[in-house]
Coordinates of all heavy atoms in Angstrom, one line a residue:
M170 N 12.6 57.6 84.3 CA 12.8 59.0 84.4 C 11.7 59.6 85.3 O 10.5 59.3 85.2 CB 12.7 59.6 83.0 CG 12.7 61.1 83.1 SD 12.5 62.0 81.5 CE 14.0 61.5 80.7
A171 N 12.1 60.4 86.2 CA 11.1 61.1 87.1 C 10.2 62.0 86.3 O 10.5 62.6 85.3 CB 11.9 61.9 88.2
V172 N 8.9 62.1 86.8 CA 7.9 62.9 86.3 C 7.3 63.7 87.4 O 7.5 63.4 88.6 CB 6.8 62.2 85.5 CG1 7.4 61.4 84.3 CG2 6.1 61.2 86.5
Y173 N 6.7 64.8 87.1 CA 6.1 65.8 88.1 C 4.7 66.1 87.7 O 4.4 66.6 86.6 CB 7.0 67.0 88.1 CG 8.4 66.7 88.5 CD1 9.3 66.3 87.5 CD2 8.8 66.8 89.8 CE1 10.6 66.0 87.9 CE2 10.2 66.5 90.2 CZ 11.0 66.1 89.2 OH 12.3 65.8 89.5
Y174 N 3.8 66.0 88.7 CA 2.5 66.6 88.5 C 2.7 68.1 88.9 O 3.2 68.4 90.0 CB 1.5 66.0 89.4 CG 0.8 64.7 88.9 CD1 0.8 63.5 89.6 CD2 0.2 64.8 87.6 CE1 0.2 62.4 89.1 CE2 -0.4 63.6 87.1 CZ -0.4 62.4 87.8 OH -1.0 61.3 87.3
I175 N 2.2 69.0 88.1 CA 2.2 70.4 88.4 C 0.7 70.7 88.5 O -0.1 70.5 87.6 CB 2.9 71.2 87.3 CG1 4.3 70.8 87.1 CG2 2.8 72.7 87.6 CD1 5.0 71.3 85.9
I176 N 0.3 71.2 89.7 CA -1.1 71.4 90.0 C -1.3 72.8 90.5 O -0.6 73.3 91.3 CB -1.4 70.4 91.2 CG1 -0.9 69.0 90.8 CG2 -2.9 70.4 91.6 CD1 -0.7 68.1 92.0
S177 N -2.4 73.4 90.0 CA -2.8 74.7 90.4 C -4.4 74.8 90.4 O -5.0 74.2 89.4 CB -2.3 75.8 89.5 OG -0.9 75.9 89.5
Y178 N -4.9 75.4 91.4 CA -6.4 75.6 91.4 C -6.8 76.6 92.5 O -6.0 76.9 93.3 CB -7.1 74.2 91.6 CG -6.7 73.4 92.8 CD1 -7.2 73.6 94.0 CD2 -5.8 72.4 92.6 CE1 -6.7 72.8 95.1 CE2 -5.4 71.6 93.6 CZ -5.9 71.8 94.9 OH -5.4 71.0 95.9
N179 N -8.0 77.0 92.4 CA -8.6 77.9 93.4 C -9.5 77.1 94.3 O -10.2 76.2 93.8 CB -9.4 79.0 92.8 CG -8.4 80.0 92.0 OD1 -7.3 80.3 92.4 ND2 -8.9 80.4 90.8
I180 N -9.5 77.4 95.6 CA -10.3 76.6 96.5 C -11.5 77.5 96.9 O -11.4 78.7 97.3 CB -9.5 76.3 97.8 CG1 -8.3 75.4 97.4 CG2 -10.4 75.6 98.8 CD1 -7.3 75.3 98.5
H181 N -12.7 77.0 96.7 CA -13.9 77.7 97.1 C -14.6 77.1 98.4 O -15.5 77.7 98.9 CB -14.9 77.8 95.9 CG -15.4 76.5 95.4 ND1 -16.3 75.7 96.0 CD2 -15.0 75.9 94.3 CE1 -16.5 74.6 95.3 NE2 -15.7 74.7 94.2
N182 N -14.1 75.9 98.8 CA -14.7 75.3 100.0 C -13.5 74.8 100.8 O -13.1 73.7 100.7 CB -15.7 74.2 99.7 CG -16.3 73.7 101.0 OD1 -15.7 73.6 102.0 ND2 -17.5 73.1 100.8
M183 N -12.9 75.7 101.7 CA -11.7 75.3 102.4 C -11.9 74.2 103.4 O -11.1 73.3 103.6 CB -11.2 76.6 103.1 CG -9.8 76.3 103.8 SD -8.5 75.9 102.7 CE -8.1 77.4 102.0
E184 N -13.1 74.2 104.0 CA -13.4 73.1 105.0 C -13.4 71.8 104.3 O -12.8 70.8 104.9 CB -14.7 73.4 105.7 CG -15.1 72.4 106.8 CD -16.4 72.8 107.5 OE1 -16.7 74.0 107.6 OE2 -17.1 71.9 107.8
M185 N -14.0 71.7 103.2 CA -13.9 70.4 102.4 C -12.5 70.1 102.0 O -12.1 68.9 102.1 CB -14.9 70.4 101.3 CG -14.9 69.1 100.5 SD -16.0 69.3 99.0 CE -17.6 69.5 99.7
W186 N -11.9 71.1 101.4 CA -10.5 70.8 100.9 C -9.5 70.4 101.9 O -8.7 69.5 101.6 CB -10.0 72.1 100.2 CG -8.6 71.9 99.6 CD1 -8.3 71.3 98.4 CD2 -7.4 72.1 100.3 NE1 -7.0 71.2 98.3 CE2 -6.3 71.7 99.4 CE3 -7.0 72.7 101.5 CZ2 -5.0 71.8 99.7 CZ3 -5.7 72.8 101.8 CH2 -4.7 72.4 100.9
Q187 N -9.6 70.9 103.1 CA -8.7 70.5 104.2 C -8.8 69.0 104.5 O -7.8 68.4 105.1 CB -9.0 71.3 105.5 CG -8.5 72.7 105.3 CD -8.8 73.6 106.5 OE1 -9.8 73.4 107.2 NE2 -8.0 74.6 106.7
Q188 N -9.8 68.3 104.1 CA -9.9 66.8 104.3 C -9.1 66.1 103.3 O -8.7 65.0 103.5 CB -11.4 66.4 104.2 CG -12.3 67.0 105.2 CD -13.7 66.7 104.9 OE1 -14.1 65.5 104.6 NE2 -14.6 67.7 104.8
Y189 N -8.7 66.8 102.2 CA -8.0 66.1 101.1 C -6.6 65.7 101.3 O -6.2 64.6 101.2 CB -8.1 67.0 99.8 CG -7.3 66.5 98.7 CD1 -7.7 65.5 97.9 CD2 -6.1 67.2 98.3 CE1 -6.9 65.0 96.8 CE2 -5.3 66.7 97.3 CZ -5.7 65.7 96.5 OH -5.0 65.2 95.5
P190 N -5.7 66.7 101.8 CA -4.3 66.3 101.9 C -4.0 65.1 102.8 O -3.2 64.2 102.5 CB -3.6 67.6 102.5 CG -4.5 68.7 102.0 CD -5.9 68.1 102.0
P191 N -4.7 65.0 104.0 CA -4.3 63.8 104.9 C -4.7 62.5 104.3 O -4.2 61.5 104.6 CB -5.1 64.1 106.2 CG -5.6 65.5 106.1 CD -5.6 65.9 104.7
L192 N -5.7 62.5 103.4 CA -6.1 61.3 102.7 C -5.3 61.0 101.4 O -5.0 59.8 101.1 CB -7.6 61.3 102.4 CG -8.5 61.4 103.6 CD1 -9.9 61.7 103.1 CD2 -8.4 60.2 104.4
A193 N -4.9 62.1 100.7 CA -4.2 61.9 99.5 C -2.7 61.6 99.6 O -2.2 60.7 98.9 CB -4.4 63.2 98.6
V194 N -2.1 62.2 100.6 CA -0.6 62.1 100.7 C -0.2 60.6 100.9 O 0.7 60.1 100.3 CB 0.0 63.0 101.7 CG1 1.4 62.7 102.0 CG2 -0.2 64.5 101.2
P195 N -0.9 59.9 101.8 CA -0.5 58.5 101.9 C -0.6 57.6 100.7 O 0.2 56.8 100.4 CB -1.4 57.9 103.0 CG -1.8 59.1 103.8 CD -1.9 60.2 102.8
L196 N -1.6 57.9 99.9 CA -1.8 57.2 98.6 C -0.7 57.6 97.6 O -0.2 56.8 96.9 CB -3.2 57.5 98.0 CG -4.3 56.8 98.8 CD1 -5.7 57.4 98.2 CD2 -4.3 55.3 98.7
I197 N -0.4 58.9 97.6 CA 0.7 59.4 96.7 C 2.0 58.7 97.1 O 2.7 58.1 96.3 CB 0.8 60.9 96.8 CG1 -0.4 61.6 96.2 CG2 2.2 61.4 96.3 CD1 -0.5 63.0 96.5
N198 N 2.3 58.6 98.4 CA 3.5 58.0 98.9 C 3.5 56.5 98.5 O 4.6 55.9 98.2 CB 3.7 58.2 100.4 CG 3.9 59.6 100.7 OD1 4.3 60.4 99.9 ND2 3.7 60.0 102.0
E199 N 2.4 55.8 98.7 CA 2.3 54.4 98.4 C 2.7 54.1 96.9 O 3.2 53.0 96.6 CB 0.8 54.0 98.6 CG 0.6 52.5 98.5 CD -0.8 52.1 98.8 OE1 -1.3 52.5 99.8 OE2 -1.4 51.3 98.0
H200 N 2.4 55.0 96.0 CA 2.7 54.9 94.6 C 4.1 55.4 94.3 O 4.5 55.6 93.1 CB 1.7 55.5 93.7 CG 0.4 54.8 93.7 ND1 0.2 53.7 92.8 CD2 -0.8 54.9 94.4 CE1 -1.0 53.2 93.0 NE2 -1.6 53.9 94.0
G201 N 4.9 55.7 95.3 CA 6.3 56.2 95.1 C 6.4 57.7 94.9 O 7.4 58.2 94.5
G202 N 5.3 58.4 95.1 CA 5.3 59.8 94.9 C 5.8 60.6 96.1 O 5.8 60.0 97.2
E203 N 6.1 61.8 95.9 CA 6.6 62.7 97.0 C 6.1 64.1 96.7 O 6.4 64.6 95.6 CB 8.1 62.6 97.0 CG 8.7 63.6 98.1 CD 10.2 63.6 98.0 OE1 10.9 63.0 97.1 OE2 10.8 64.3 98.9
V204 N 5.4 64.7 97.7 CA 5.0 66.1 97.5 C 6.2 67.0 97.8 O 6.7 67.0 98.9 CB 3.8 66.4 98.5 CG1 3.4 67.8 98.3 CG2 2.6 65.5 98.2
L205 N 6.6 67.6 96.7 CA 7.8 68.5 96.8 C 7.4 69.9 97.3 O 8.2 70.6 97.9 CB 8.6 68.6 95.5 CG 9.1 67.3 95.0 CD1 9.8 67.5 93.7 CD2 10.1 66.6 96.0
A206 N 6.3 70.4 96.8 CA 5.8 71.7 97.2 C 4.3 71.7 97.2 O 3.6 71.1 96.4 CB 6.3 72.7 96.2
A207 N 3.7 72.4 98.2 CA 2.3 72.6 98.3 C 2.1 74.0 99.0 O 2.5 74.1 100.2 CB 1.6 71.5 99.0
D208 N 1.6 74.9 98.4 CA 1.6 76.3 98.9 C 0.3 77.0 98.6 O -0.1 77.1 97.5 CB 2.7 77.1 98.3 CG 3.1 78.3 99.0 OD1 2.2 78.8 99.8 OD2 4.2 78.9 98.8
L209 N -0.4 77.5 99.7 CA -1.6 78.3 99.5 C -1.3 79.8 99.4 O -2.2 80.6 99.2 CB -2.5 78.1 100.7 CG -3.2 76.7 100.8 CD1 -3.8 76.5 102.1 CD2 -4.1 76.5 99.7
S210 N 0.0 80.2 99.4 CA 0.3 81.6 99.3 C 1.6 81.8 98.5 O 2.5 82.6 98.9 CB 0.4 82.2 100.7 OG 1.4 81.6 101.5
A211 N 1.7 81.1 97.4 CA 2.9 81.2 96.5 C 3.0 82.7 96.0 O 2.0 83.4 95.9 CB 2.8 80.2 95.4
T212 N 4.2 83.1 95.7 CA 4.4 84.4 95.2 C 4.3 84.4 93.7 O 5.0 83.8 93.0 CB 5.8 84.9 95.6 OG1 6.0 84.8 97.0 CG2 6.1 86.3 95.1
P213 N 3.3 85.2 93.2 CA 3.1 85.2 91.7 C 4.2 86.1 91.1 O 4.6 87.1 91.6 CB 1.8 85.9 91.5 CG 1.5 86.6 92.8 CD 2.3 85.9 93.9
I214 N 4.8 85.5 90.0 CA 5.9 86.2 89.3 C 5.3 86.7 87.9 O 5.5 87.8 87.5 CB 7.1 85.4 89.1 CG1 7.6 84.8 90.4 CG2 8.2 86.1 88.3 CD1 8.0 85.9 91.4
E215 N 4.6 85.8 87.2 CA 4.0 86.2 85.9 C 2.6 85.6 85.9 O 2.4 84.5 86.5 CB 4.8 85.6 84.8 CG 6.1 86.2 84.5 CD 6.8 85.7 83.3 OE1 6.1 85.0 82.5 OE2 8.0 85.9 83.1
G216 N 1.7 86.2 85.2 CA 0.3 85.7 85.0 C -0.6 85.9 86.2 O -0.2 86.5 87.2
T217 N -1.7 85.2 86.1 CA -2.7 85.3 87.2 C -2.6 84.1 88.1 O -2.8 83.0 87.6 CB -4.1 85.4 86.6 OG1 -4.2 86.5 85.7 CG2 -5.2 85.5 87.7
P218 N -2.2 84.3 89.3 CA -2.0 83.1 90.2 C -3.3 82.5 90.6 O -4.3 83.1 90.7 CB -1.3 83.7 91.4 CG -1.8 85.1 91.5 CD -2.0 85.5 90.0
K219 N -3.2 81.2 90.9 CA -4.3 80.4 91.5 C -3.9 80.3 93.0 O -2.8 80.4 93.4 CB -4.4 79.1 90.8 CG -4.9 79.3 89.4 CD -5.1 78.0 88.7 CE -5.4 78.3 87.2 NZ -5.4 77.1 86.4
Q220 N -4.9 79.9 93.8 CA -4.7 79.9 95.3 C -3.8 78.7 95.7 O -2.9 78.9 96.5 CB -6.0 79.7 95.9 CG -6.0 79.8 97.4 CD -7.4 79.7 98.0 OE1 -8.4 79.4 97.3 NE2 -7.5 79.9 99.3
M221 N -4.0 77.5 95.2 CA -3.2 76.4 95.5 C -2.2 76.0 94.4 O -2.6 75.9 93.3 CB -4.1 75.2 95.8 CG -3.4 73.9 96.2 SD -2.3 74.1 97.6 CE -1.6 72.5 97.7
N222 N -1.0 75.8 94.8 CA 0.0 75.4 93.8 C 0.8 74.3 94.4 O 1.3 74.4 95.6 CB 0.9 76.6 93.4 CG 0.1 77.7 92.8 OD1 -0.2 77.6 91.6 ND2 -0.3 78.7 93.6
A223 N 1.0 73.2 93.6 CA 1.8 72.0 94.2 C 2.6 71.4 93.1 O 2.3 71.5 91.9 CB 0.8 71.0 94.8
I224 N 3.7 70.7 93.5 CA 4.5 69.9 92.6 C 4.7 68.5 93.3 O 5.1 68.5 94.5 CB 5.9 70.5 92.4 CG1 5.7 71.9 91.7 CG2 6.7 69.6 91.5 CD1 6.9 72.7 91.6
V225 N 4.3 67.5 92.6 CA 4.4 66.1 93.2 C 5.3 65.3 92.2 O 5.1 65.2 91.0 CB 3.0 65.5 93.3 CG1 3.2 64.1 93.9 CG2 2.1 66.3 94.2
K226 N 6.4 64.7 92.8 CA 7.3 63.9 92.0 C 7.0 62.4 92.1 O 6.7 61.9 93.2 CB 8.7 64.2 92.6 CG 9.8 63.4 91.9 CD 11.2 63.7 92.5 CE 12.3 62.9 91.8 NZ 13.6 63.1 92.5
F227 N 7.1 61.8 91.0 CA 6.9 60.3 90.9 C 8.1 59.7 90.1 O 8.7 60.4 89.3 CB 5.6 59.9 90.1 CG 4.4 60.1 91.0 CD1 3.7 61.3 91.0 CD2 3.9 59.0 91.7 CE1 2.6 61.4 91.8 CE2 2.8 59.1 92.5 CZ 2.1 60.3 92.5
P228 N 8.5 58.5 90.4 CA 9.6 57.9 89.8 C 9.4 57.6 88.3 O 10.4 57.5 87.5 CB 9.9 56.6 90.5 CG 8.6 56.3 91.1 CD 7.9 57.6 91.4
S229 N 8.2 57.5 87.8 CA 7.9 57.3 86.4 C 6.5 57.7 86.1 O 5.6 57.9 87.0 CB 8.0 55.8 86.1 OG 7.0 55.1 86.8
A230 N 6.2 57.9 84.8 CA 4.9 58.2 84.4 C 3.9 57.1 84.7 O 2.7 57.4 85.1 CB 4.8 58.5 82.9
E231 N 4.3 55.9 84.7 CA 3.5 54.8 85.0 C 3.0 54.8 86.5 O 1.9 54.6 86.8 CB 4.2 53.4 84.7 CG 4.4 53.1 83.3 CD 5.6 53.9 82.7 OE1 6.5 54.4 83.4 OE2 5.7 54.0 81.4
A232 N 4.0 55.2 87.3 CA 3.6 55.3 88.8 C 2.7 56.5 89.0 O 1.7 56.4 89.8 CB 4.9 55.5 89.6
A233 N 2.9 57.6 88.3 CA 2.1 58.8 88.5 C 0.6 58.5 88.0 O -0.3 58.8 88.7 CB 2.6 59.9 87.7
L234 N 0.5 57.8 86.9 CA -0.8 57.5 86.3 C -1.5 56.4 87.1 O -2.7 56.4 87.3 CB -0.7 57.1 84.9 CG -0.3 58.3 84.0 CD1 0.0 57.8 82.6 CD2 -1.3 59.4 84.0
A235 N -0.7 55.5 87.7 CA -1.3 54.4 88.5 C -1.9 55.1 89.8 O -3.0 54.7 90.2 CB -0.2 53.4 88.9
C236 N -1.2 56.1 90.3 CA -1.8 56.8 91.5 C -3.0 57.5 91.1 O -4.1 57.4 91.8 CB -0.7 57.8 92.0 SG -1.3 58.7 93.5
Y237 N -3.0 58.2 90.0 CA -4.2 59.0 89.6 C -5.4 58.1 89.3 O -6.5 58.5 89.6 CB -3.8 59.9 88.4 CG -5.0 60.8 88.0 CD1 -5.1 62.0 88.6 CD2 -5.8 60.4 87.0 CE1 -6.2 62.8 88.2 CE2 -6.9 61.2 86.6 CZ -7.0 62.5 87.2 OH -8.1 63.3 86.9
N238 N -5.1 56.9 88.8 CA -6.2 56.0 88.4 C -6.6 55.0 89.5 O -7.5 54.2 89.3 CB -5.8 55.3 87.1 CG -5.8 56.3 85.9 OD1 -6.7 57.0 85.7 ND2 -4.7 56.2 85.2
D239 N -5.9 55.0 90.6 CA -6.2 54.2 91.7 C -7.6 54.4 92.2 O -7.9 55.6 92.5 CB -5.2 54.4 92.9 CG -5.3 53.5 94.0 OD1 -6.4 53.2 94.5 OD2 -4.3 53.0 94.6
P240 N -8.4 53.4 92.3 CA -9.8 53.6 92.7 C -9.9 54.3 94.1 O -10.8 55.1 94.3 CB -10.4 52.2 92.8 CG -9.6 51.4 91.9 CD -8.2 52.0 91.9
R241 N -9.0 54.0 95.0 CA -9.0 54.7 96.3 C -8.7 56.2 96.1 O -9.3 57.0 96.8 CB -8.0 54.1 97.2 CG -8.3 52.6 97.5 CD -7.1 51.9 98.3 NE -6.0 52.0 97.4 CZ -4.7 51.9 97.9 NH1 -4.5 51.8 99.2 NH2 -3.7 51.9 97.0
Y242 N -7.8 56.5 95.2 CA -7.5 58.0 95.0 C -8.7 58.6 94.3 O -9.0 59.8 94.6 CB -6.2 58.2 94.2 CG -6.0 59.6 94.0 CD1 -5.6 60.5 95.0 CD2 -6.2 60.2 92.8 CE1 -5.4 61.8 94.9 CE2 -6.1 61.6 92.6 CZ -5.7 62.4 93.6 OH -5.5 63.7 93.4
K243 N -9.3 57.9 93.4 CA -10.5 58.5 92.7 C -11.5 59.0 93.8 O -12.2 60.0 93.6 CB -11.1 57.6 91.7 CG -10.3 57.3 90.5 CD -10.2 58.5 89.6 CE -9.6 58.1 88.3 NZ -9.3 59.3 87.5
E244 N -11.7 58.2 94.8 CA -12.7 58.6 95.9 C -12.2 59.9 96.6 O -12.9 60.8 96.9 CB -12.9 57.5 96.8 CG -13.8 56.4 96.3 CD -15.2 56.9 95.9 OE1 -15.8 57.5 96.7 OE2 -15.6 56.6 94.8
V245 N -10.9 59.9 97.0 CA -10.3 61.0 97.7 C -10.3 62.3 96.8 O -10.6 63.4 97.2 CB -8.9 60.7 98.2 CG1 -8.2 61.9 98.7 CG2 -8.9 59.5 99.2
M246 N -10.0 62.1 95.5 CA -10.0 63.2 94.6 C -11.3 64.0 94.5 O -11.3 65.2 94.3 CB -9.6 62.6 93.2 CG -9.5 63.7 92.1 SD -8.9 63.0 90.5 CE -10.2 61.9 90.1
K247 N -12.4 63.3 94.8 CA -13.7 64.0 94.7 C -13.7 65.2 95.7 O -14.3 66.2 95.4 CB -14.8 63.0 95.1 CG -15.1 62.0 94.0 CD -16.1 61.0 94.4 CE -16.3 59.9 93.4 NZ -17.3 59.0 93.8
L248 N -13.0 65.1 96.8 CA -12.9 66.2 97.8 C -12.2 67.4 97.1 O -12.7 68.5 97.2 CB -12.1 65.8 99.0 CG -12.8 64.8 100.0 CD1 -11.8 64.3 101.0 CD2 -14.0 65.4 100.7
R249 N -11.1 67.1 96.4 CA -10.4 68.2 95.8 C -11.2 68.8 94.7 O -11.3 70.1 94.5 CB -9.1 67.7 95.2 CG -8.3 68.8 94.5 CD -6.9 68.2 94.0 NE -6.9 67.0 93.2 CZ -7.2 67.0 91.9 NH1 -7.4 68.1 91.3 NH2 -7.1 65.8 91.3
I250 N -11.8 68.0 93.9 CA -12.6 68.5 92.7 C -13.8 69.3 93.2 O -14.1 70.4 92.7 CB -13.1 67.3 91.9 CG1 -12.0 66.5 91.3 CG2 -14.1 67.7 90.8 CD1 -11.1 67.2 90.3
D251 N -14.5 68.8 94.2 CA -15.7 69.5 94.7 C -15.4 70.7 95.5 O -16.3 71.6 95.6 CB -16.6 68.5 95.6 CG -17.2 67.4 94.9 OD1 -17.2 67.4 93.6 OD2 -17.7 66.4 95.5
A252 N -14.2 70.8 96.0 CA -13.8 72.0 96.8 C -13.1 73.1 96.0 O -12.8 74.1 96.5 CB -12.9 71.6 98.0
S253 N -12.8 72.8 94.7 CA -12.0 73.7 93.9 C -12.6 74.0 92.6 O -13.5 73.3 92.1 CB -10.6 73.2 93.8 OG -10.6 72.0 93.0
D254 N -12.0 75.0 91.9 CA -12.4 75.3 90.5 C -11.1 75.8 89.8 O -10.1 76.0 90.4 CB -13.6 76.2 90.4 CG -13.4 77.5 91.2 OD1 -12.3 78.0 91.2 OD2 -14.4 78.0 91.7
N255 N -11.3 76.1 88.5 CA -10.2 76.6 87.7 C -8.9 75.8 87.9 O -7.8 76.3 88.1 CB -9.9 78.1 88.1 CG -9.1 78.8 87.1 OD1 -9.0 78.4 85.9 ND2 -8.5 79.9 87.5
R256 N -9.1 74.5 87.8 CA -8.0 73.5 88.0 C -7.1 73.3 86.8 O -7.6 73.3 85.7 CB -8.6 72.1 88.4 CG -9.3 72.1 89.8 CD -9.9 70.8 90.1 NE -10.9 70.4 89.2 CZ -12.2 70.8 89.2 NH1 -12.6 71.7 90.2 NH2 -13.1 70.4 88.4
L257 N -5.9 73.1 87.1 CA -4.9 72.7 86.1 C -4.0 71.6 86.7 O -3.5 71.7 87.9 CB -3.9 73.9 85.8 CG -2.7 73.5 84.9 CD1 -3.1 73.2 83.5 CD2 -1.7 74.7 84.9
L258 N -3.9 70.5 86.0 CA -3.1 69.3 86.4 C -2.4 68.8 85.2 O -3.0 68.4 84.2 CB -4.0 68.2 87.0 CG -3.3 66.9 87.3 CD1 -2.3 67.1 88.5 CD2 -4.3 65.9 87.7
V259 N -1.1 69.0 85.2 CA -0.3 68.5 84.1 C 0.8 67.5 84.6 O 1.3 67.6 85.7 CB 0.4 69.6 83.2 CG1 -0.7 70.5 82.6 CG2 1.4 70.4 84.1
L260 N 1.2 66.6 83.7 CA 2.3 65.7 84.1 C 3.5 66.0 83.2 O 3.4 65.9 81.9 CB 1.8 64.2 83.8 CG 2.8 63.1 84.2 CD1 3.1 63.2 85.7 CD2 2.2 61.8 83.9
A261 N 4.6 66.5 83.8 CA 5.7 66.9 83.1 C 6.9 66.0 83.3 O 7.1 65.5 84.5 CB 6.1 68.3 83.5
K262 N 7.7 65.7 82.3 CA 8.9 64.9 82.4 C 10.0 65.7 83.1 O 10.2 66.9 82.8 CB 9.4 64.4 81.1 CG 8.4 63.5 80.3 CD 8.9 63.1 79.0 CE 7.9 62.3 78.2 NZ 8.4 62.0 76.8
G263 N 10.8 65.0 83.9 CA 11.9 65.6 84.5 C 13.1 65.7 83.5 O 13.0 65.1 82.4
V264 N 14.1 66.5 83.8 CA 15.2 66.6 82.9 C 16.3 65.7 83.5 O 16.4 65.5 84.7 CB 15.7 68.0 82.8 CG1 14.7 68.9 82.0 CG2 16.1 68.6 84.1
S265 N 17.0 65.0 82.6 CA 18.1 64.1 83.1 C 19.4 64.7 83.0 O 19.7 65.8 82.5 CB 18.0 62.8 82.3 OG 18.1 63.1 80.9

């Protein structure tokens, strides 16, 4: 069953953060993931919006967690962590 990372955070160091996507996306793809949405200017409908919002699809929870726990991704992830705050990352099951 497909699963989705739902990701939201604020960026406080744009120069550092801009290094993250070109390094992260190939690793995501390698684990069977696909970035479905990534938006720095999403339209808030309810609540307090964060600056970056993304949805990443994986074929299974195992694939999603393998990507997150990949030592190469852990190194790349440091860019995102160091460049952002008020982070939210959840793994949600798709509907069949």
Side-chain angles (χ1 to χ4, degrees):
M170 172 186 292
V172 297
Y173 300 84
Y174 276 126
I175 301 168
I176 308 155
S177 294
Y178 51 84
N179 294 321
I180 301 168
H181 58 76
N182 184 332
M183 186 60 75
E184 185 175 322
M185 180 185 295
W186 180 83
Q187 287 175 330
Q188 298 172 52
Y189 172 76
L192 297 171
V194 171
L196 290 171
I197 290 167
N198 293 341
E199 184 178 314
H200 286 277
E203 177 185 6
V204 178
L205 299 179
D208 195 342
L209 290 170
S210 59
T212 303
I214 305 300
E215 291 185 13
T217 304
K219 296 180 184 174
Q220 183 179 10
M221 176 60 183
N222 298 279
I224 300 171
V225 181
K226 179 181 179 181
F227 281 89
S229 67
E231 293 79 15
L234 294 171
C236 180
Y237 185 81
N238 292 311
D239 185 316
R241 297 169 299 156
Y242 179 71
K243 290 289 188 189
E244 285 301 308
V245 172
M246 181 174 65
K247 290 177 185 177
L248 291 167
R249 178 176 54 82
I250 299 293
D251 291 346
S253 67
D254 55 37
N255 197 19
R256 290 179 299 279
L257 171 70
L258 172 66
V259 298
L260 186 57
K262 294 177 184 175
V264 294
S265 50

